[in-house]
Amino acid sequence: MTELLKFNWRNLFLGLGCLLLVIACNSYNPSVNPSAKTWKIATDPTFVPFEFQTPQGKIQGFDIDLMNAIAKVSGFVVQFESMPFDGMISTLQAKRVDAAISGITITAERLKTISFSRPYFKAGLAIATRKDNQDIKDFNSLKGKKIAVQIGSTGADFAKTIPNAKISTFNSGPEFFQDLLNGNADAVVSDAFATLYAIKNGKINGIKVVSELLTEEYYGIATPKDSLHLDAINQGIATLLSNGTYKQIYQKWFNIEPPKLPESL
Ligand code: ARG
């Protein structure tokens, strides 16, 4: 054994031979596109059904399917990185990831520091309350109420416009709904599709969505400012919209026809 570990020319050649063999096998594997680059994609998997984790820890959802489909048609490989929603924009600014998909609303404010792909999902905010709540029905009835929101979200920005609201902020979806169920908060302002989906699929109980949509928003895939990846992402989205894949993914998660999307905002 010690003989084997000692340096000698035979062992060196043996080692180099093995290394070359491994490299050769990898680069001739026909199932792997040798030019395919791996892109790091940030996501906050606490947002059903866009991105969430199965009990086994697998990341799934509409955004995940869409991103994988874009990668397939645009010829790159995706590696998802979980992180809190709140840290995503600064992570993009620091170019620590190639892109982020996380139900991120395209806003003028965010466009100052990062870039977005063309819109890939039509969304909007809604008010959620406990099922037994009778007095919160619309924007006006939120005045002076206790509102729970996700830190750094468009729901959090919206809550700031409610006169005299007492706002509590949380890092993830399950937490602000818990605050509402506990009776600490009177209402939650968050993305309507995600909330309705969570209610319908029994992920949260005892909560209802009241009123119409408060806003009209579009989600985009976010990248560092003027990223060179934007073209590939946009072309990927265009391909999926025209070849029926987008519709297929949309129906898989929402069981309805997707609405028409604008090419840009
Ligand atoms: N659409 C909202 C926003 O952009 C909330 C998105 C939350 N997404 C998430 N994966 N937690 O601010």
Side-chain angles (χ1 to χ4, degrees):
M1 188 65 195
T2 45
E3 274 306 299
L4 261 180
L5 291 175
K6 264 198 214 135
F7 175 84
N8 66 43
W9 287 104
R10 188 175 156 270
N11 284 350
L12 183 69
F13 283 123
L14 218 63
L16 280 177
C18 285
L19 193 69
L20 280 178
L21 200 70
V22 168
I23 292 171
C25 286
N26 274 340
S27 54
Y28 288 114
N29 181 347
S31 67
V32 176
N33 173 357
S35 65
K37 292 261 180 310
T38 300
W39 292 12
K40 271 197 224 161
I41 312 284
T43 194
D44 165 28
T46 66
F47 193 59
V48 283
F50 295 92
E51 43 270 329
F52 58 98
Q53 266 174 308
T54 63
Q56 292 74 36
K58 199 172 174 285
I59 300 179
Q60 281 198 335
F62 174 88
D63 284 352
I64 306 304
D65 286 352
L66 188 74
M67 199 68 224
N68 281 326
I70 294 170
K72 207 165 160 196
V73 297
S74 297
F76 60 89
V77 174
V78 167
Q79 188 192 325
F80 289 104
E81 262 190 42
S82 299
M83 68 181 64
F85 187 74
D86 187 38
M88 223 166 261
I89 294 188
S90 54
T91 302
L92 285 163
Q93 277 180 272
K95 301 198 171 94
R96 277 199 292 274
V97 292
D98 294 287
I101 191 162
S102 218
I104 310 173
T105 303
I106 304 170
T107 68
E109 189 57 33
R110 291 173 178 166
L111 279 167
K112 288 181 191 161
T113 54
I114 57 170
S115 293
F116 279 99
S117 69
R118 58 184 284 169
Y120 74 84
F121 195 91
K122 188 174 181 185
L125 297 174
I127 304 167
T129 61
R130 278 182 304 281
K131 265 188 185 153
D132 57 9
N133 183 297
Q134 302 296 335
D135 62 323
I136 297 179
K137 291 181 188 67
D138 51 19
F139 178 76
N140 286 328
S141 48
L142 289 177
K143 279 182 197 148
K145 293 282 195 288
K146 286 182 270 176
I147 318 282
V149 295
Q150 175 158 30
I151 308 178
S153 69
T154 48
D157 291 339
F158 187 89
K160 288 179 199 148
T161 69
I162 304 166
N164 302 320
K166 294 168 205 68
I167 302 168
S168 43
T169 56
F170 296 88
N171 243 322
S172 74
E175 292 173 84
F176 52 77
F177 286 121
Q178 201 48 50
D179 201 51
L180 179 60
L181 283 170
N182 288 344
N184 295 335
D186 304 309
V188 158
V189 176
S190 63
D191 296 55
F193 264 84
T195 310
L196 288 168
Y197 183 95
I199 293 172
K200 191 164 151 240
N201 291 278
K203 308 255 180 207
I204 46 176
N205 293 309
I207 286 174
K208 62 180 175 187
V209 166
V210 293
S211 86
E212 314 270 282
L213 291 187
L214 300 169
T215 56
E216 182 183 89
E217 305 185 358
Y218 287 93
Y219 297 159
I221 296 169
T223 66
K225 192 103 183 124
D226 302 325
S227 160
L228 296 175
H229 292 331
L230 278 168
D231 269 352
I233 296 175
N234 284 332
Q235 275 169 33
I237 297 175
T239 303
L240 302 179
L241 283 169
S242 61
N243 74 8
T245 309
Y246 177 86
K247 182 169 161 176
Q248 208 181 318
I249 297 175
Y250 198 99
Q251 286 179 329
K252 167 180 168 189
W253 292 100
F254 300 105
N255 277 319
I256 51 168
E257 286 280 310
K260 273 232 161 328
L261 290 171
E263 242 176 75
S264 65
L265 291 187

